[in-house]
Amino acid sequence: MKASFRSPDLFRVTLLGMRPNPRRDQGFAEYRDAERRAKEDTRRTICAHDIYLGTRLVATVSAPTFAGKISVDMTAFGSRYA
């Protein structure tokens, strides 16, 4: 398949430890939208989530603390998108 026919890489939010799946996960064009969705999902499920760009890990959103604070840990690759 030629590169021009492939869909562009999108940011995808998954549960911690799961690989991104285009059929299962919603894609986001902007990192900010993916981070917002990951924080909402983390608050709702109390589980950490990963943000991927294509198949590369960009960030991990940790589970909330007792104070309700959620932190985002960027990878070296993902630091250019923040």
Side-chain angles (χ1 to χ4, degrees):
M1 182 180 281
K2 293 184 180 179
S4 60
F5 291 113
R6 289 186 302 183
S7 62
D9 286 337
L10 297 173
F11 291 98
R12 298 193 183 279
V13 178
T14 64
L15 280 172
L16 180 70
M18 295 190 68
R19 301 297 296 169
N21 184 345
R23 292 188 180 106
R24 180 189 64 218
D25 305 321
Q26 180 180 2
F28 298 94
E30 296 286 326
Y31 170 76
R32 286 175 275 142
D33 297 334
E35 183 178 347
R36 187 177 307 120
R37 173 64 182 267
K39 286 181 177 180
E40 290 171 2
D41 289 352
T42 298
R43 278 190 190 93
R44 189 168 30 89
T45 62
I46 312 174
C47 296
H49 284 69
D50 288 332
I51 301 173
Y52 285 90
L53 176 63
T55 58
R56 296 193 63 179
L57 181 65
V58 175
T60 299
V61 179
S62 66
T65 62
F66 288 112
K69 184 176 180 181
I70 296 175
S71 64
V72 178
D73 300 320
M74 302 295 290
T75 62
F77 172 73
S79 62
R80 63 181 106 171
Y81 296 103

